[in-house]
Amino acid sequence: MSARRIPRILLRVVAILLAAQVVLCAGFYWAMSQPPDVFGRIVARTPLPLMMVLPFETLWMRARAGSLKPGDMAPDFRLPTLDRKETVQLSSYRGSRPVVLVFGSYT
């Protein structure tokens, strides 16, 4: 193999690896934008070494950032009560009493 071919081969390998990294990051960004159950199924099938080469935290923070800022009105939603006999809608409380929304786990 000539000395001139080695840089070309190396350049092709680097380009292929870079393209693969971009495709993987785009795919995981899309997956992180999906509902938790969909994302969980994708991550469950992803090999750990593949997860280690992705900028996981950066992708997660950008994909799940949302557009609300402190002080913005929360979007309306409807959820079942604990006994599942009724539903509660956030907008029904507007103007009548304060509502605190807690996201995440506190256990």
Side-chain angles (χ1 to χ4, degrees), residues 19-31:
Q21 178 78 1
V22 168
V23 168
L24 287 172
C25 285
F28 257 80
Y29 183 83
W30 172 83

Side-chain angles (χ1 to χ4, degrees), residues 6-55:
I6 292 174
R8 283 186 181 173
I9 292 171
L10 186 60
L11 185 60
R12 284 184 183 167
V13 168
V14 169
I16 290 169
L17 291 175
L18 183 60
Q21 178 78 1
V22 168
V23 168
L24 287 172
C25 285
F28 257 80
Y29 183 83
W30 172 83
M32 290 175 179
S33 300
Q34 301 306 305
D37 59 326
V38 174
F39 178 62
R41 286 194 306 265
I42 293 169
V43 169
R45 293 185 179 115
T46 304
L48 184 59
L50 183 61
M51 300 278 285
M52 294 173 69
V53 299
L54 295 173

